[in-house]
Amino acid sequence: MYNRKDSTLSHAPPGEGLTGVYVIDPAHSTIGFSARHALVTDVRGKFTAFEGILKLDGSRLTRSEAYFSVQTGSADTGLPERDAHVRGPDFLDSATFPLMSFRSSGILDATDHRFHLAGHLRIKDAELPLRIGLAFGGASRDALGRDRVAFAGAATLRRSDRGLGRNAALAAGGGPVSDELELILDICAVRLNEAVAD
């Protein structure tokens, strides 16, 4: 079991020692979302089933790549009635489109710790450009000797661009949902040749 307290953490910017292929550790990562509801509060949720790969070039971060996919039927807002609506045809339509996916196309505006990951996000049958603002959260070697890296950030997208419930209200609680959604990432990944099940 990974425990941050048992790891050696470095917040230094990526270097050649981090070059390699990493798999996202879903037990220690979050892919979430947030939307303004009824103009006064935020509805937050997360996906509980996802996977992804990072191909890091520590000497030249701009040559790195990322891919992740999410099972849309795993959307969890903490309220079963609302979850069913979010997963249903008004929003994600997970029965017809079970996967949401992102593939990178480049890294922009890279500094020591922050950058924009450019790519394409596919939701339902639409694949549109998306930029995700990310920060390097550090690298560590855990108690089992596995190398880990962390990144966190977010991106804003519009429901109306992606067929996600135009002018919709959530079944639980009523009221309109903002056209803007925030996709939130808090990612921990393990170097592939050292990735083993906890």
Side-chain angles (χ1 to χ4, degrees):
M1 180 72 74
Y2 171 59
N3 188 328
R4 290 178 189 265
K5 294 179 181 178
D6 295 330
S7 64
T8 303
L9 181 65
S10 170
H11 289 289
E16 289 187 22
L18 296 185
T19 297
V21 178
Y22 294 74
V23 292
I24 292 176
D25 178 359
H28 301 100
S29 301
T30 301
I31 297 180
F33 53 90
S34 177
R36 199 71 174 164
H37 179 234
L39 306 179
V40 294
T41 188
D42 290 333
V43 172
R44 295 181 177 87
K46 63 181 179 179
F47 297 98
T48 59
F50 54 87
E51 61 185 6
I53 293 177
L54 311 178
K55 297 180 180 178
L56 299 184
D57 187 329
S59 62
R60 190 172 173 187
L61 185 62
T62 54
R63 293 189 296 205
S64 299
E65 301 174 33
Y67 170 85
F68 65 81
S69 64
V70 172
Q71 294 183 29
T72 55
S74 73
D76 180 4
T77 67
L79 192 63
E81 183 182 3
R82 185 167 59 207
D83 294 345
H85 195 192
V86 170
R87 298 169 189 165
D90 282 347
F91 287 92
L92 292 170
D93 195 2
S94 60
T96 306
F97 304 100
L99 288 180
M100 174 177 77
S101 62
F102 175 85
R103 56 181 178 84
S104 66
S105 58
I107 291 180
L108 311 172
D109 309 320
T111 64
D112 282 350
H113 291 88
R114 296 183 179 276
F115 58 94
H116 283 91
L117 182 64
H120 290 80
L121 179 69
R122 174 173 286 275
I123 302 178
K124 294 186 172 181
D125 55 356
E127 184 174 81
L128 296 173
L130 184 72
R131 283 192 186 187
I132 305 174
L134 289 171
F136 176 62
S140 69
R141 176 159 290 175
D142 66 23
L144 298 178
R146 299 171 299 185
D147 291 329
R148 293 175 176 266
V149 292
F151 297 91
T156 299
L157 55 122
R158 292 186 178 277
R159 290 189 302 103
S160 56
D161 291 341
R162 299 172 188 268
L164 299 176
R166 293 174 187 266
N167 301 318
L170 288 175
V177 179
S178 169
D179 190 41
E180 287 193 349
L181 296 176
E182 188 175 29
L183 181 66
I184 303 162
L185 303 178
D186 189 355
I187 299 299
C188 176
V190 186
R191 199 189 300 264
L192 187 60
N193 61 359
E194 298 168 343
V196 295
D198 282 340

